Amino acid sequence: MTDDAGRIPRLKGHIVPVRTVQETNPEIEFADAYVVQIRQKCAAKVSKLIDSTYPKDPNRPFTHLRRFVKEVFLPEHLKIEINQRGTSSGSNDNENAEVPTIFALIQPPLPEISHLKALLAPFVPSSPQPSPLSATETEKETSAEPPSGQSLDKFFLTTTIPIYPPLSAAQADHWSKTLWPTGYNAAFARATIAPPPPLLSATETNIAVKAAEFLGLACRVAREAKVLKRGRGVGVVVVDPAIASLSHGSSAEQQQEEEEGGIVAVAGDARFCAPGIENPMEDNSSSSSSTGYNPNCEGGPECHAVMRVVEMIAIQRRNEGTPASEHGNLHNPALSPLESRYLYHPASTSSSSTEQQQPSSSSPSEPTDLTTTTRILPRSAGGYLCTDLDIYMTHEPCLSCSMGILLSRFRAVTFLRRGRLVTGGLASEPTSIATKAHQPTAGTRDNNYYGLFWRKELNWRAMCFEFVQDEDKEGEMHVEEGCEEPGEYHA
């Protein structure tokens, strides 16, 4: 799994953003709204009056909806209604056809219609045109009785509006023609729906530079876990993007130092080391059981690679400045050679070749006597959980580990597309290049694409990417050396 220079080889492929469940399965919500026909020159007064009288809901800004619309831009159903009521500018029944009018949208939360009519009565076309008034005079005028109940009603209509911004220009155009004129802003930060496009694009560009290298290392960590019979062939790598984005050096040694400089920790699966698990390899020896799930011979989520790497970082931050040799009893199970190396060695260390760290059948190593001073930002310097770190994985994490990633506040998560699992918690839609031999039965996973990385119900969100390897374009499913073949188990 290493090249002639002892470096971790790059995987061949590219990353693609994973769409959120709000994008793949949007839940369109609508609400009722009032539409009031007023004199065009009173639009500014009406806007101030409505804002001061009816406070807006800060959770629903409705910035995607036009507040004032001319008749020509109204949706067809409203044009038909105002024509039937005789208030259209082109209607022969309109006594005020020469008065330019505009239509104002009254957004939720909706006031009492009787109060709204009394408030806006002075501004509808049938009322006497008001002269410029002071604030006191305006209040007196708006508290006056409406001209007449029935004649006033014809200027007040109802319509349906979309609560959330459109996801595309086509959707905005459809709503404009059928509901109410709607604007589409591709750069709008639709935080509850999907990552803002500028942020997503910048993060994708940043991650794409070294994703192939970090995932190559994750495959090697997975191989070590399997060779040492500690767990399944699942591996993860955690990276500090601020360090990883440093420019490459010219020599092979400099490049290796910089590649490793952004890595804060690696972890392999250790479910076979869980307490009470006896002879896990014998129980899982058959090909069918190796890709299946048997709770009798596997530990729980706390032994999965994701949970283990989060625990490593937490221990490191709690024990900043203490000798690494004193941390040995804190890790259960003990760290493997690769885990110990990347957790405790300084970022600039390159004296030992990666070839010297090839997994063997020997027992996991204990950390050397080094102080924990590099790579992981200590709490005294503002380090908190896994904030602003990125995680790279050979497989799609299970539901428990997916929530662990969010609760640890990772910035972004990247996993191999060929590592998708039917028990995964991040994917939001099917793909034609998922698991080939273990494709879920019809309807099994179609109802279980959780897309936990960006859900509007959660208070923390992370950007998510899949690494699509070049071979995947032809639909071939080659398992990386040492990586667990996709199956029904949890990762």
Side-chain angles (χ1 to χ4, degrees):
M1 292 292 288
T2 57
D3 58 18
D4 295 337
R7 296 170 54 203
I8 303 298
R10 293 171 57 92
L11 299 182
K12 296 180 180 180
H14 62 281
I15 64 171
V16 294
V18 177
R19 296 203 301 166
T20 69
V21 291
Q22 288 81 219
E23 292 175 302
T24 59
N25 187 26
E27 296 180 358
I28 308 299
E29 296 183 32
F30 301 97
D32 292 331
Y34 294 133
V35 177
V36 185
Q37 187 176 8
I38 62 172
R39 289 190 297 276
Q40 185 171 333
K41 67 178 185 179
C42 299
K45 294 179 181 178
V46 170
S47 178
K48 293 179 181 179
L49 185 61
I50 291 175
D51 288 343
S52 61
T53 308
Y54 307 120
K56 296 181 180 179
D57 183 353
N59 296 321
R60 294 180 175 180
F62 292 107
T63 54
H64 57 291
L65 299 175
R66 296 272 300 275
R67 188 162 195 182
F68 294 97
V69 175
K70 292 183 178 180
E71 181 179 336
V72 66
F73 298 114
L74 288 176
E76 194 62 29
H77 73 282
L78 289 179
K79 288 182 180 179
I80 295 174
E81 188 169 356
I82 63 174
N83 188 57
Q84 292 174 345
R85 295 187 179 195
T87 60
S88 173
S89 59
S91 174
N92 296 328
D93 300 329
N94 188 358
E95 300 174 356
N96 302 280
E98 296 180 358
V99 179
T101 61
I102 198 168
F103 294 80
L105 181 70
I106 311 299
Q107 307 158 348
L110 297 179
E112 289 291 335
I113 187 62
S114 58
H115 187 274
L116 180 66
K117 289 179 179 179
L119 184 72
L120 300 184
F123 306 101
V124 299
S126 63
S127 63
Q129 299 188 31
S131 58
L133 301 173
S134 64
T136 304
E137 292 172 323
T138 300
E139 184 176 343
K140 290 179 179 179
E141 182 176 344
T142 56
S143 63
E145 289 295 325
S148 73
Q150 196 166 18
S151 63
L152 188 62
D153 289 345
K154 64 183 179 181
F155 299 108
F156 289 79
L157 305 90
T158 60
T159 190
T160 301
I161 59 172
I163 294 179
Y164 299 107
L167 299 178
S168 65
Q171 189 176 55
D173 183 62
H174 174 70
W175 286 347
S176 296
K177 294 177 179 178
T178 59
L179 302 176
W180 183 260
T182 306
Y184 171 66
N185 184 359
F188 183 72
R190 300 165 296 163
T192 61
I193 298 174
L199 175 62
L200 182 64
S201 177
T203 305
E204 181 179 2
T205 301
N206 175 264
I207 286 179
V209 177
K210 292 186 176 182
E213 298 167 5
F214 295 137
L215 286 169
L217 177 58
C219 290
R220 187 174 166 219
V221 174
R223 175 173 178 262
E224 180 190 58
K226 198 166 188 176
V227 169
L228 295 179
K229 299 182 179 181
R230 292 164 56 85
R232 292 186 179 273
V234 178
V236 302
V237 173
V238 175
V239 173
D240 186 338
I243 304 174
S245 61
L246 296 175
S247 61
H248 288 280
S250 57
S251 67
E253 182 178 352
Q254 287 175 324
Q255 289 182 14
Q256 180 180 348
E257 289 180 359
E258 291 176 354
E259 287 169 7
E260 297 182 358
I263 301 172
V264 299
V266 304
D269 187 77
R271 68 188 67 197
F272 298 156
C273 300
I277 302 299
E278 299 180 0
N279 302 321
M281 299 306 295
E282 285 134 10
D283 293 340
N284 249 23
S285 57
S286 67
S287 59
S288 60
S289 60
S290 63
T291 56
Y293 173 65
N294 186 347
N296 296 323
C297 59
E298 301 184 17
E302 70 279 3
C303 298
H304 293 182
V306 169
M307 296 299 197
R308 295 190 64 240
V309 81
V310 169
E311 182 185 38
M312 292 177 193
I313 295 173
I315 290 175
Q316 196 78 338
R317 286 186 165 159
R318 287 199 307 267
N319 298 278
E320 61 174 295
T322 61
S325 58
E326 297 180 9
H327 297 183
N329 295 331
L330 299 178
H331 297 286
N332 185 21
L335 302 183
S336 70
L338 275 176
E339 292 168 352
S340 179
R341 178 192 172 199
Y342 282 98
L343 185 62
Y344 291 111
H345 283 206
S348 60
T349 297
S350 63
S351 57
S352 60
S353 171
T354 57
E355 288 291 344
Q356 298 174 358
Q357 298 295 332
Q358 290 288 351
S360 64
S361 58
S362 60
S363 61
S365 63
E366 295 297 330
T368 56
D369 192 8
L370 298 173
T371 56
T372 60
T373 57
T374 58
R375 293 204 296 261
I376 297 180
L377 188 66
R379 289 192 295 178
S380 60
Y384 179 69
L385 300 177
C386 296
T387 305
D388 295 330
L389 300 181
D390 297 339
I391 185 168
Y392 298 81
M393 299 172 291
T394 58
H395 296 73
E396 181 186 3
C398 65
L399 293 175
S400 180
C401 291
S402 296
M403 287 304 302
I405 290 172
L406 292 179
L407 295 174
S408 299
R409 302 191 177 185
F410 280 95
R411 180 189 75 150
V413 50
T414 305
F415 63 92
L416 294 176
R417 173 172 286 184
R418 63 179 48 167
R420 276 199 183 197
L421 301 175
V422 296
T423 58
L426 295 183
S428 60
E429 60 183 331
T431 175
S432 58
I433 314 173
T435 59
K436 185 176 181 181
H438 303 282
Q439 188 72 26
T441 57
T444 300
R445 188 166 181 184
D446 288 345
N447 300 323
N448 292 284
Y449 284 95
Y450 298 99
L452 290 178
F453 68 94
W454 202 281
R455 295 291 295 252
K456 64 180 181 180
E457 302 92 343
L458 303 177
N459 64 355
W460 188 266
R461 305 174 183 98
M463 285 165 284
C464 185
F465 302 89
E466 283 185 308
F467 189 87
V468 183
Q469 293 171 261
D470 290 343
E471 296 85 353
D472 290 345
K473 296 177 181 179
E474 301 175 0
E476 298 178 4
M477 299 305 302
H478 301 295
V479 178
E480 287 295 324
E481 182 183 357
C483 288
E484 197 77 20
E485 186 177 351
E488 298 179 357
Y489 55 88
H490 302 262

